[in-house]
Amino acid sequence: MSKKKYQDQTLVNHDQITDQYGAVVPPIYQNSLFTFKSWEEIDKAFDHKADAYIYSRLMNPTARVAEDKIAGLCNGGKAKLCASGIAAITSAVLHCVKANDHIITIRNIYGPTNSFLSTYLKNKLNVELTYVDGRDVQEFEDAIQSNTTLIYLESPASLTFELQDLRSICHIAKNRKIKTVIDNTWASPIFQKPLEMGVDIEVHSVSKYIGGHSDLVAGVIVSSEEIMNQIITAEHELLGAKIAPFEAWLILRSLRTLPIRMKALMQNAMEVAKYLESHPKIARVNYPGLESFDQYKLAQKQMTGCGSLLSFELKTDHIGSIKAFVNSLELFSLGVSWGGHDSLVYAPVISYLKELSPDQFSAMGINAGLIRISVGLESPKDLKEDLEKALLNI
Ligand SMILES: *Cc1c(COP(=O)(O)O)cnc(C)c1O
């Protein structure tokens, strides 16, 4: 992969001015198809399908501007925006596996990804799955079978924030010709560059930090040009989870501020995490930016910063108290998702009480008092005061 020309901040904020009247912001190409002047021209376009504007299910000029910027941020050969993060994930995984193959992944992987790997692929294609403790590189090596074709990573994982040692795992995978895919949503393309550490394919839920304003659902796949051309003409074209031009335009708008948003979000999250860590009613804070975090050294080694999603354990597991805490927060709205301008809170116990028995719940190493917050761009002083007030309820 070639060394990129500009720093991230320049890359997202400088555009080549096109012939569109010198418009400073690229237009939304709200069209389904592109026409050709001659037989010869359309014939040539079909020969280079992955790079030609033919039909907007395959490629659209508005999407292309945003895709090129994301590919640049990730130091990849090419990027493809998709209709959702999960569309990016399923396309990337399907590129790597066929019937009867074997996948290795980590415990505590994002829920819908887990359903796809463990249930959907098992039932439809008899794909085998082994879970490992992602913190232990040896467990990955020990889990490899003759039919292993994919190691699927999420570092840090989005509930417990456990990391995987990306360089070591990719070294093992490359020696055995096993592909690696990483969900890099938490660190964002600003703070972690997995392709530079040897990962084959990087995916993001663009609905989180890249979108950043809680107003769109999208995903992106980034890899070498060779792998991307295969994904574009197979999984992307045939499964059809394409991005809409307006969403692509919003993503381009969001990319302008991604580097400065990530910096501000990290500062806020650090301040809130340190406050929570010092609070007597809190047992522990899971945040890779804290020196007290188990894998702090590895976090420093493979990331240049941290996202603003973190979790903490209340000292109580009394459901009534946890409920009172969550309900009395004013600035942290109760909801799923994360990565926007607005602070959010979620108590995983709400869904686990519906889906799992208490035994299954604790087997995951998670207790009822675990609270997840997404720290937004509000004043950290106000956020801390809101938490302080709510903690009086337990
Ligand atoms: C939200 C999320 C996804 C799925 O993305 P969608 O855009 O909601 O489809 C994947 N991975 C992680 C870590 C997420 O938080």
Side-chain angles (χ1 to χ4, degrees):
M1 270 161 236
S2 62
K3 192 89 196 93
K4 64 178 194 251
K5 190 167 160 199
Y6 293 124
Q7 300 296 308
D8 290 350
Q9 235 166 305
T10 312
L11 180 73
V12 292
N13 283 300
H14 176 75
D15 293 344
Q16 212 86 45
I17 300 293
T18 64
D19 57 359
Q20 301 296 322
Y21 311 103
V24 70
V25 175
I28 305 173
Y29 285 89
Q30 188 63 44
N31 51 298
S32 60
L33 76 140
F34 304 84
T35 55
F36 295 83
K37 293 211 167 65
S38 66
W39 173 302
E40 290 78 10
E41 276 190 26
I42 198 168
D43 189 53
K44 203 163 77 189
F46 282 132
D47 283 342
H48 304 279
K49 211 161 62 168
D51 272 318
Y53 298 115
I54 300 169
Y55 187 56
S56 283
R57 169 150 53 76
L58 295 159
M59 190 156 78
N60 173 280
T62 310
R64 183 65 191 260
V65 180
E67 285 163 352
D68 285 351
K69 286 191 191 292
I70 296 172
L73 289 178
C74 300
N75 230 342
K78 210 183 250 193
K80 196 77 210 162
L81 285 166
C82 306
S84 67
I86 205 74
I89 290 167
T90 52
S91 297
V93 169
L94 285 170
H95 169 75
C96 301
V97 298
K98 57 180 184 342
N100 307 313
D101 281 350
H102 172 240
I103 300 174
I104 301 169
T105 193
I106 58 159
R107 280 191 278 271
N108 296 322
I109 196 86
Y110 177 68
T113 305
N114 185 40
S115 302
F116 180 66
L117 300 180
S118 67
T119 310
Y120 189 92
L121 287 181
K122 169 86 194 139
N123 292 345
K124 297 278 184 178
L125 293 170
N126 194 34
V127 169
E128 289 180 88
L129 181 68
T130 302
Y131 296 103
V132 296
D133 182 330
R135 293 168 298 184
D136 184 354
V137 175
Q138 191 59 44
E139 283 203 19
F140 285 92
E141 187 146 31
D142 294 345
I144 294 173
Q145 304 176 180
S146 59
N147 58 341
T148 306
T149 53
L150 171 64
I151 296 180
Y152 184 93
L153 306 166
E154 187 184 317
S155 180
S158 62
L159 183 57
T160 54
F161 305 98
E162 288 166 2
L163 273 66
Q164 297 108 61
D165 182 335
L166 300 182
R167 287 187 185 86
S168 305
I169 294 164
C170 290
H171 183 71
I172 293 167
K174 278 212 173 11
N175 282 341
R176 314 277 193 113
K177 296 200 165 33
I178 296 168
K179 287 249 167 59
T180 46
V181 173
I182 187 171
D183 182 334
N184 193 29
T185 306
W186 187 86
S188 87
I190 303 303
F191 289 149
Q192 181 163 258
K193 314 275 186 190
L195 300 182
E196 292 176 4
M197 291 185 267
V199 174
D200 293 308
I201 304 174
E202 172 173 354
V203 292
H204 289 267
S205 169
V206 172
S207 325
K208 313 294 162 55
Y209 291 126
I210 299 177
H213 296 71
S214 304
D215 56 8
L216 62 91
V217 172
V220 71
I221 315 170
V222 195
S223 185
S224 66
E225 203 171 341
E226 187 192 349
I227 289 177
M228 286 313 298
N229 285 346
Q230 289 171 20
I231 292 176
I232 288 165
T233 50
E235 288 77 21
H236 191 74
E237 176 173 357
L238 302 178
L239 301 178
K242 65 107 187 150
I243 192 85
F246 181 59
E247 255 78 357
W249 185 85
L250 282 176
I251 292 162
L252 181 60
R253 177 276 326 252
S254 295
L255 283 168
R256 313 290 191 196
T257 56
L258 183 62
I260 57 168
R261 269 191 291 115
M262 290 314 297
K263 216 185 277 180
L265 286 168
M266 177 169 83
Q267 256 169 25
N268 279 6
M270 274 304 285
E271 199 168 325
V272 169
K274 281 185 179 155
Y275 159 75
L276 290 170
E277 195 173 35
S278 69
H279 199 285
K281 288 183 179 170
I282 289 172
R284 58 182 276 151
V285 178
N286 304 310
Y287 187 58
L290 290 174
E291 279 179 46
S292 60
F293 186 73
D294 282 356
Q295 295 173 290
Y296 177 74
K297 277 208 179 109
L298 180 60
Q300 293 287 306
K301 206 171 110 193
Q302 63 188 21
M303 298 189 288
T304 53
C306 289
S308 66
L309 183 77
L310 58 102
S311 65
F312 56 93
E313 267 171 41
L314 297 170
K315 280 189 180 161
T316 181
D317 57 5
H318 180 255
I319 299 291
S321 302
I322 299 164
K323 196 187 273 187
F325 166 74
V326 168
N327 281 343
S328 59
L329 286 163
E330 279 174 25
L331 292 175
F332 292 82
S333 311
L334 178 60
V336 296
S337 195
W338 48 279
H341 56 282
D342 47 331
S343 288
L344 296 168
V345 62
Y346 188 65
V349 71
I350 297 170
S351 32
Y352 289 140
L353 281 174
K354 295 184 191 303
E355 294 161 12
L356 302 172
S357 70
D359 286 353
Q360 285 173 306
F361 191 46
S362 56
M364 291 172 71
I366 294 167
N367 71 25
L370 186 77
I371 304 289
R372 190 181 84 166
I373 56 171
S374 174
V375 178
L377 290 167
E378 303 91 339
S379 150
K381 179 172 176 289
D382 291 335
L383 294 176
K384 287 188 291 185
E385 281 173 14
D386 196 31
L387 289 161
E388 179 82 30
K389 206 157 49 83
L391 282 164
L392 294 174
N393 290 302
I394 59 169

